[in-house]
Amino acid sequence: MKTLFLPSGSAIPVLGQGTWYMGENPIQKKREIDALRLGMDLGITLIDTAEMYADGGAEEIVGQAILGRRAEAFLVSKVYPHNADRRGTQAACERSLRRLGSDYIDLYLLHWRGSVPLGETIEALESLKKAGKIRDFGVSNFDRNDMQEASGLPGAEQIAVNQVLYNLMRRGPEWDLLPWCRQRSVPVMAYSPLESGANEQRRMLHNPHLKEIARRHDASAAQIALSWLLRQEQVIVIPKAVDPAHVRENRASLDIVLTAQDLLELEQAFPAPLRSTPLDMR
Ligand code: NAP
């Protein structure tokens, strides 16, 4: 699996597996664990989760999926903003570790900005790192102003990634956030790369231009949408898939090489932003 480097020097895979909505329905549990294991078998060892997902249920699914293979996995989890004070961050991390069945998290993120002062959260994340409970920490749903503000705080040079909503239909981050992060070698993790909401996803994947490009590559529209993200510098992509056919397709999207003509057509079908727009969030 291709990797990028975090500011700490640790390698991070460019393709991962999301887990939002996993762990909610006991009937689906085995399917979800099997999907994550299949992904790992195919080399997609980065798994993204959060204490929020199914109230910890998704972390438990991840824990089951990595049983006996912790060393292979690169685990990302997230702390709720309302837990992100000095003591709350520590306690939330301990709970996540228990559910994950692991003694460390590779990358621990502040899920979004809340009312706890950012400096306090960074301090708390730093002490978790010093204690070896997390290897790296980062943020999520931070726009450029948030990143700028964070960068002035002690310890902020350790912010390893910013995880944001980014896909063909949501190109807002390209205006100023991606350039800002790239300049500082902070990778961006693109969440909802396939527009998870049913209507928006249909709008994206049924786009006739996208479908035509997919046809030329003997691929699916979803694979083209993922490969468009994967070809970008300093971008990590984390689609969630329970259907094993989707997991296989997503892995294979790494091998698709888009041509200049494909990129031109995608640009016309899904134009880049012409002005700054507020960061979208799910
Ligand atoms: P997504 O990955 O863009 O879309 C998931 C949906 O796409 C599922 O319905 C899945 O179906 C389907 N799918 C997956 N692969 C497919 C393929 N090859 N062809 C067609 N459909 C496919 O959306 P997401 O779950 O919102 O985002 C991904 C991950 O990002 C989340 O799971 C979560 O880990 C993270 N996330 C983070 C935040 C944040 O605030 N930081 C917010 C949202 C999401 P099946 O499951 O049936 O296979």
Side-chain angles (χ1 to χ4, degrees):
M1 172 69 58
K2 191 178 147 201
T3 54
L4 292 179
F5 290 100
L6 299 176
S8 64
S10 297
I12 181 168
V14 295
L15 179 65
Q17 307 187 75
T19 63
W20 196 17
Y21 290 115
M22 289 191 186
E24 293 203 338
N25 180 352
I27 296 167
Q28 289 296 319
K29 184 175 169 185
K30 184 175 179 310
R31 246 183 119 226
E32 291 164 354
I33 295 169
D34 287 349
L36 292 175
R37 286 207 178 128
L38 170 63
M40 289 180 79
D41 293 342
L42 298 171
I44 322 175
T45 52
L46 185 161
I47 301 177
D48 178 84
T49 188
E51 63 169 333
M52 184 187 105
Y53 303 159
D55 282 331
E59 289 180 326
E60 285 171 4
I61 295 287
V62 175
Q64 296 285 306
I66 62 164
L67 255 186
R69 45 198 305 193
R70 172 65 186 95
E72 273 172 70
F74 186 106
L75 297 186
V76 183
S77 193
K78 312 182 197 82
V79 58
Y80 262 129
H82 61 256
N83 284 337
D85 61 9
R86 207 165 283 115
R87 291 168 66 149
T89 305
Q90 166 102 29
C93 182
E94 293 289 356
R95 288 193 297 271
S96 289
L97 288 170
R98 258 197 311 280
R99 290 188 289 258
L100 292 163
S102 176
D103 51 9
Y104 70 97
I105 292 170
D106 293 273
L107 178 57
Y108 197 43
L109 311 181
L110 171 62
H111 209 146
W112 64 91
R113 250 191 112 162
S115 56
V116 175
L118 210 44
E120 181 174 340
T121 303
I122 294 176
E123 242 180 65
L125 292 167
E126 248 186 315
S127 53
L128 282 172
K129 193 173 160 184
K130 282 196 190 117
K133 306 272 182 189
I134 63 175
R135 298 255 161 107
D136 269 294
F137 63 81
V139 295
S140 177
N141 296 300
F142 271 38
D143 64 17
R144 207 207 63 146
N145 290 339
D146 295 323
M147 290 303 282
Q148 183 86 46
E149 189 184 327
S151 70
L153 298 169
E157 69 288 348
Q158 295 171 76
I159 292 177
V161 301
N162 183 14
Q163 185 178 117
V164 297
L165 176 53
Y166 179 39
N167 63 44
L168 271 173
M169 296 210 306
R170 315 266 198 156
R171 295 183 61 180
E174 288 173 31
W175 183 256
D176 56 0
L177 182 62
L178 258 83
W180 192 97
C181 290
R182 276 195 191 115
Q183 257 172 23
R184 291 156 184 84
S185 301
V186 176
V188 163
M189 297 182 81
Y191 76 67
S192 303
L194 298 170
E195 271 295 335
S196 56
N199 288 339
E200 291 108 323
Q201 184 170 88
R202 210 168 305 116
R203 233 170 12 104
M204 182 202 275
L205 300 184
H206 287 201
N207 178 286
H209 304 282
L210 184 62
K211 282 166 79 172
E212 169 55 22
I213 296 167
R215 191 196 58 75
R216 292 204 293 264
H217 285 271
D218 198 15
S220 70
Q223 286 180 301
I224 300 299
L226 294 177
S227 74
W228 177 82
L229 284 167
L230 284 163
R231 63 177 291 287
Q232 309 210 31
E233 231 183 283
Q234 295 281 309
V235 172
I236 297 154
V237 188
I238 49 168
K240 169 253 174 190
V242 175
D243 181 333
H246 288 163
V247 177
R248 289 181 195 284
E249 269 195 13
N250 297 349
R251 168 62 187 85
S253 66
L254 262 178
D255 304 325
I256 296 172
V257 181
L258 297 175
T259 64
Q261 181 61 30
D262 298 334
L263 294 173
L264 186 70
E265 289 174 27
L266 285 171
E267 194 59 42
Q268 284 161 351
F270 303 96
L274 295 172
R275 64 188 71 82
S276 173
T277 49
L279 188 65
D280 285 333
M281 198 179 152
R282 274 200 198 291

